[in-house]
Amino acid sequence: MRVFRATYKDRGGKRQESEKWYVEFRDHLERVKRLPAFTDKAQSEAFGRKVERLVDCRSNNEPTDPELSRWIETLSQATREAMARIGLLEASRAAAIKRLTVHLDDFKAAILARGNTAKHVQMVHQRARDLFDGCGFKQWSDVQSSAVLNWLAKLTTDAQVSKATKGKSKRRIPGRSIQSRNFYLQAAKQFCRWMVSERRATSNPLESLARLNVATDRRHERRALSVDELRRLLSAAMGGPERFSMSGSERSLVYRLAVESGLRASELRSLTRLSFRFGAKLATVIVEAGNSKRRRRDELPLRPDTALELQAHLSRKLPTAQAFAVPPSDSTADMVRFDLAAARAAWLAEASTVEERGERERSTFLAERDDAGQVVDFHGLRHTFITLLARSGVHPSVMQAMARHSDPRLTLGRYTHVETAEQAEALDLLPDLSAPEAMGALATGTDGQTVEPATSRGEAKGADTVLAVCLAFSDAKQCAEVQSHAPQETEATPHRKRNKPRETARIPAITEAQMQVHPSGLEPLTFGSVDRCSIQLS
């Protein structure tokens, strides 16, 4: 290895030295090569020693160690391109000289080849690209976790101006939610993990970044409709005009199918006439793996009455024809809200008095948004489906299977909505812990005294003794004998004074015959000496 400064002649013909130092070395093919280094000689010599180590790895066909790999990733794009041209960098390291946009395009093709939908792939690719463009990253070596954190924080705090759409003007909206922040971070981390798995990078610079708790910043919390709200929604849709290229009867049938099967809007949109099986005993609907969110073929049962309506609706369609003209995803929420508003208007018109009308207007029944800020959209019908299953007492494992969730916590936590009235009804199922009026204080067993009940102090004195002895002697005959010795209360028996402690009843003495036969039910018989009793009573 030789470190030197190149010389050249300026325009005046004078000999000049280059500002940078150069490193001359022999590569793995024994060819003499030169690479530009730094303006400082010591740093250039350190650079040359790293280059020699890299040449040794290439000559012996050995992988580079982690320290040398990290050093390669910190080099400038021009230096890495020069190393790639002479073959000093292996194929996996040569990929690091590509721009991030090229890597992102390769990443997009890779996740599309895994069987993901084109919509999902485009969304993940665009989020990762927006994040890197926002941070100003051009090369893989530019990716830094601190810059990503700053961009994500700005994403959630800075207000934005929405795009003007048909019939709507631009409006200023607050920063993105924490859920959106997590989506961008998840896409970027997925890309970085892919870079490491493809050996295009040695480590993930975003590995230490964690997602935030979305529960602290819910912007679009859905709610479940009640049974009465559902019936009125179906009735309003049935009698309503055509909306979004769907007749009222078709919208009502789609709502009903969504509530009774939990199918998503995209899945309903993919159904054809051949997706339905109308058997003699069971009718089902099939969602193909390519249209299911979990990428599996699902066959779901249908209610008999709903199956009859579906048969009538599909009877005039070709086998491969689309079953329902469900509008695009950005219009399904508006379609539900129009029908929900019509149902609420009809409900308000049913008020017979002005007071009742005012009370109904103040309620959130059939409203798009309730007092807690929860909204109703098309996906809310799926929430309603799972919530109704929970209210009907369906086992959680069955609920998870019908919801087609891989995690039961998602079924029970996110999609199951419990109202306050239901919590109050659940409390009614608990036992009543309030003390009855006839119940007094129980005996404490302290100092051989008992505490009389709060009421009827003079009653059941002898019964207490009989009960204690019967618990000790399970034999009915012995209980009868003990009961005959117990003091009996009569009308002539005077009540004890309040300031005189109550005398405890004495258990009658045990006879010699009872000493030989041990009480049954407490412990095994003791053999050996007949004068020994295993239960000492006094």
Side-chain angles (χ1 to χ4, degrees), residues 452-454 457 495-502:
E452 294 187 17
R457 291 177 178 268
H495 293 286
R496 295 179 178 84
K497 296 181 181 180
R498 296 185 181 274
N499 57 356
K500 183 178 180 180
R502 179 182 177 183

Side-chain angles (χ1 to χ4, degrees), residues 62 342 367 402 406 512:
E62 295 179 354
M402 299 181 70
S406 58
E512 185 177 354

Side-chain angles (χ1 to χ4, degrees), residues 237-302:
M238 177 67 71
E242 179 178 328
R243 291 195 178 100
F244 299 93
S245 302
M246 293 185 69
S247 63
S249 59
E250 186 178 15
R251 292 199 310 275
S252 178
L253 186 58
V254 167
Y255 295 160
R256 184 171 180 176
L257 182 58
V259 171
E260 294 179 355
S261 64
L263 290 175
R264 303 172 178 88
S266 59
E267 295 170 338
L268 289 166
R269 195 180 299 112
S270 68
L271 298 179
T272 63
R273 170 65 181 83
L274 294 176
S275 302
F276 295 88
R277 303 286 189 271
F278 299 105
K281 295 184 178 180
L282 181 64
T284 60
V285 57
I286 298 174
V287 181
E288 298 297 337
N291 301 316
S292 175
K293 185 177 181 179
R294 63 176 184 170
R295 320 308 294 167
R296 290 171 53 182
R297 187 176 186 269
D298 300 316
E299 186 169 3
L300 309 174
L302 298 173

Side-chain angles (χ1 to χ4, degrees), residues 163-421:
K163 297 180 180 179
T165 57
K166 185 177 180 180
K168 298 180 180 179
S169 59
K170 293 183 179 181
R171 60 189 181 92
R172 191 173 181 82
I173 57 177
R176 300 290 185 88
S177 65
I178 291 180
Q179 181 73 290
S180 298
R181 173 198 183 277
N182 290 345
F183 284 151
Y184 281 96
L185 178 60
Q186 180 180 356
K189 293 182 69 174
Q190 183 179 351
F191 167 75
C192 293
R193 288 194 299 268
W194 175 82
M195 289 284 293
V196 175
S197 65
E198 290 292 315
R199 292 185 173 274
R200 302 191 182 195
T202 57
S203 61
N204 182 358
L206 306 183
E207 185 177 4
S208 61
L209 301 185
R211 292 183 294 180
L212 299 182
N213 185 9
V214 298
T216 60
D217 185 29
R218 285 285 187 190
R219 302 287 181 88
H220 195 77
E221 187 74 24
R222 294 182 176 92
R223 72 179 180 94
L225 296 173
S226 65
V227 177
D228 192 13
E229 287 178 313
L230 275 177
R231 290 171 178 163
R232 291 180 177 273
L233 174 63
L234 297 179
S235 178
M238 177 67 71
E242 179 178 328
R243 291 195 178 100
F244 299 93
S245 302
M246 293 185 69
S247 63
S249 59
E250 186 178 15
R251 292 199 310 275
S252 178
L253 186 58
V254 167
Y255 295 160
R256 184 171 180 176
L257 182 58
V259 171
E260 294 179 355
S261 64
L263 290 175
R264 303 172 178 88
S266 59
E267 295 170 338
L268 289 166
R269 195 180 299 112
S270 68
L271 298 179
T272 63
R273 170 65 181 83
L274 294 176
S275 302
F276 295 88
R277 303 286 189 271
F278 299 105
K281 295 184 178 180
L282 181 64
T284 60
V285 57
I286 298 174
V287 181
E288 298 297 337
N291 301 316
S292 175
K293 185 177 181 179
R294 63 176 184 170
R295 320 308 294 167
R296 290 171 53 182
R297 187 176 186 269
D298 300 316
E299 186 169 3
L300 309 174
L302 298 173
R303 292 173 60 95
D305 49 351
T306 306
L308 291 176
E309 294 190 20
L310 287 170
Q311 276 186 299
H313 173 74
L314 300 171
S315 60
R316 298 181 297 273
K317 293 182 177 290
L318 295 176
T320 58
Q322 189 179 14
F324 308 104
V326 179
S329 57
D330 55 351
S331 300
T332 52
D334 292 335
M335 181 177 68
V336 172
R337 288 163 184 162
F338 278 127
D339 290 328
L340 200 67
R344 178 175 173 84
W347 176 68
L348 292 176
E350 293 176 2
S352 57
T353 61
V354 178
E355 291 77 8
E356 183 182 359
R357 171 83 182 201
E359 183 178 354
R360 292 192 177 192
E361 289 178 348
R362 288 188 295 271
S363 72
T364 58
F365 185 78
L366 289 171
E368 174 188 343
R369 188 180 296 271
D370 61 6
D371 295 332
Q374 297 176 329
V375 299
V376 177
D377 55 11
F378 195 93
H379 199 68
L381 300 178
R382 177 172 168 82
H383 284 247
T384 303
F385 163 68
I386 300 175
T387 300
L388 292 179
L389 289 178
R391 293 175 182 174
S392 302
V394 178
H395 194 273
S397 61
V398 180
M399 291 171 53
Q400 179 187 351
M402 299 181 70
R404 296 170 291 144
H405 285 155
S406 58
D407 190 351
R409 293 174 296 181
L410 180 62
T411 307
L412 299 176
R414 183 69 183 276
Y415 281 85
T416 304
H417 303 266
V418 181
E419 297 181 355
T420 306

